[in-house]
Amino acid sequence: MLAFVNAHALNSAARDARFFEALQGADTLLRDGVGMALLMALLNQRPGLNLNGTDLIPRLLRGQGSPSIALFGTQEPWLSRARAAIERDLAPGSVCVTAHGFLPQDRYVDLAVAHRPRLVVLAMGMPRQEQVAQALRAALFEPCLIVCGGAILDFLGGRAVRAPGLVRRCGLEWAWRLACEPRRLFGRYVLGNPLFIARALRLALQGLRQPPG
């Protein structure tokens, strides 16, 4: 189970104990975004690489070499378009089983058990995808990588457009996404970013108050 942690994830984990436990239970957590780099710097931790899913997951798909991939998330027609792009450009020769992101959790488990994919990409948004990932990991007994992919299928299917390269390199892709989808993302970024910064500063101050060692 591979998951990504960004400012929105930590804001969600602060108010949702079940989501926090799902993140804690992931086999690998990767840093996503400048917000997490800021937090880690405040806590005297090395931020490491910025490994967001939109960049990393296509690389995983290219290197998969598997005949069976499961794509669970988003909705039509973007799901079918994402599947076509993956089978055509990223993982030729693979066969993708798909399901939109609004089914009961047990349905995804049944599909994965029946098709035995080596790679599962979940694109349902937080916190649902992380909880589905836990259920899949508990049900699957063959080697399988389960990736919590956020909006990756929307990007691959053409529903969402990546920010220009310069914007991404400046760490401002969140602002691009907000400009493209202001109503949906207002709470996440306009309200959520200041809340995240306040929490980060509070954690840093708590660390300063603790005795050395």
Side-chain angles (χ1 to χ4, degrees):
M1 176 180 168
L2 170 64
F4 299 85
V5 180
N6 54 26
H8 174 60
L10 288 196
N11 279 341
S12 300
R15 62 177 181 268
D16 185 338
R18 186 180 174 198
F19 176 52
F20 174 77
E21 291 172 0
L23 285 179
Q24 288 283 90
D27 297 291
T28 302
L29 286 174
L30 299 178
R31 175 179 75 82
D32 176 6
V34 295
M36 289 298 299
L38 170 64
L39 172 62
M40 297 181 76
L42 288 171
L43 300 178
N44 295 318
Q45 302 291 322
R46 292 183 178 179
L49 297 176
N50 178 28
L51 294 172
N52 65 82
T54 314
D55 290 325
L56 181 62
I57 293 171
R59 296 188 179 193
L60 294 176
L61 288 163
R62 286 191 186 97
Q64 179 57 210
S66 170
S68 181
I69 299 172
L71 308 173
F72 298 153
T74 194
Q75 55 188 323
E76 296 294 353
W78 299 284
L79 178 58
S80 292
R81 292 174 183 173
R83 173 181 179 171
I86 290 169
E87 292 180 344
R88 181 185 66 244
D89 302 325
L90 298 177
S94 295
V95 176
C96 298
V97 56
T98 61
H100 67 71
F102 306 95
L103 296 174
Q105 181 171 282
D106 290 348
R107 180 60 178 146
Y108 302 116
V109 172
D110 291 343
L111 284 169
V113 169
H115 291 273
R116 297 187 293 178
R118 296 295 300 271
L119 173 65
V120 178
V121 177
L122 302 176
M124 305 165 186
M126 301 172 181
R128 188 165 191 247
Q129 62 190 12
E130 286 76 17
Q131 293 162 1
V132 171
Q134 283 192 313
L136 291 173
R137 183 175 58 183
L140 298 174
F141 297 100
E142 296 183 4
C144 179
L145 174 60
I146 304 166
V147 184
C148 299
I152 183 61
L153 297 182
D154 287 331
F155 284 113
L156 294 176
R159 184 181 188 180
V161 179
R162 292 296 305 274
L166 178 61
V167 175
R168 297 201 300 267
R169 288 191 293 273
C170 292
L172 294 174
E173 188 163 17
W174 65 269
W176 170 272
R177 293 191 65 194
L178 176 62
C180 293
E181 301 181 82
R183 293 185 63 181
R184 187 175 76 85
L185 298 177
F186 180 88
R188 177 182 299 191
Y189 294 129
V190 177
L191 303 179
N193 283 355
L195 180 60
F196 173 81
I197 292 171
R199 286 188 169 123
L201 292 173
R202 186 168 66 246
L203 285 171
L205 289 173
Q206 288 174 353
L208 290 174
R209 294 192 192 103
Q210 294 179 0

